[in-house]
Amino acid sequence: MNENYKTLIKFYTAFANADAASMCECYHGDIQFRDPAFGLLKGNDVCEMWKMLVEKSNGKLKIEFNEVKATEYIGSAQCIATYNFSKTNRKVVNVINAQFQFKDGLIIKHTDDFDIWKWSKQAFGIKGYLFGWTGFFHKKINEQALFSLKKHKENKHAN
């Protein structure tokens, strides 16, 4: 079990425990994160995203992870996130395949890949089924995700 493997176990264990602060300890200062909902995030925005998602889940986020692999430079894992989507309160079971790159014993690049249409059908129901496969709908999801992150950061600084 190498150090990068331990880092991934720490990351996903913290995620399963809704501990965004410990998740962020696994990231390099120059972290780059990408997924189908948020697109590309860099630096502190990545940690703010996790904090926001954990807060919005109100303790009702279930995280399972498996297939964790890591070498000196790269890693991967599968994560299954089960939660109620905050906008619609619909249950989502999202199967995520993650790829990682490491630098200085920390995650410097994290890419989550999942089926955005499948996610859309669960999160939005019939609207997601009909439109979730379109580029237009993907763009709307991305815009809403980034808007939510922006509002979260503003509220954090207002308090």
Side-chain angles (χ1 to χ4, degrees), residues 12-147:
Y12 282 109
T13 300
F15 196 9
N17 292 324
D19 182 359
S22 293
M23 292 171 71
C24 293
E25 290 172 2
C26 299
Y27 281 143
H28 190 280
D30 294 327
I31 182 65
Q32 289 188 16
F33 173 86
R34 181 182 299 273
D35 85 348
F38 285 90
L40 177 64
L41 297 176
K42 296 180 180 181
N44 192 53
D45 281 351
V46 179
C47 288
E48 289 301 323
M49 173 202 62
W50 291 122
K51 290 173 187 172
M52 176 186 76
L53 292 175
V54 165
E55 286 172 19
K56 282 187 171 191
S57 73
N58 295 317
K60 295 180 180 148
L61 173 66
K62 179 182 174 192
I63 299 296
E64 300 169 273
F65 60 95
N66 55 51
E67 298 181 33
V68 178
K69 298 177 186 136
T71 68
E72 185 178 353
Y73 301 106
I74 61 171
S76 62
Q78 183 180 73
C79 170
I80 301 169
T82 304
Y83 58 94
N84 285 351
F85 181 56
S86 60
K87 295 281 180 213
T88 61
N89 202 36
R90 294 176 58 89
K91 182 178 178 181
V92 171
V93 179
N94 196 14
V95 178
I96 302 159
N97 292 303
Q99 301 292 322
F100 301 91
Q101 290 180 13
F102 300 97
K103 182 178 179 184
D104 304 326
L106 297 168
I107 301 165
I108 192 158
K109 192 170 183 185
H110 177 177
T111 304
D112 278 354
D113 187 39
F114 57 88
D115 185 331
I116 192 76
W117 187 33
K118 185 174 182 181
W119 179 89
S120 297
K121 291 185 282 187
Q122 294 175 78
F124 293 102
I126 189 70
K127 187 163 82 169
Y129 177 78
L130 294 173
F131 303 109
W133 60 273
T134 66
F136 173 80
F137 204 76
H138 295 183
K139 185 177 179 198
K140 289 296 179 192
I141 291 168
N142 179 251
E143 288 171 356
Q144 184 59 52
L146 293 175
F147 180 75

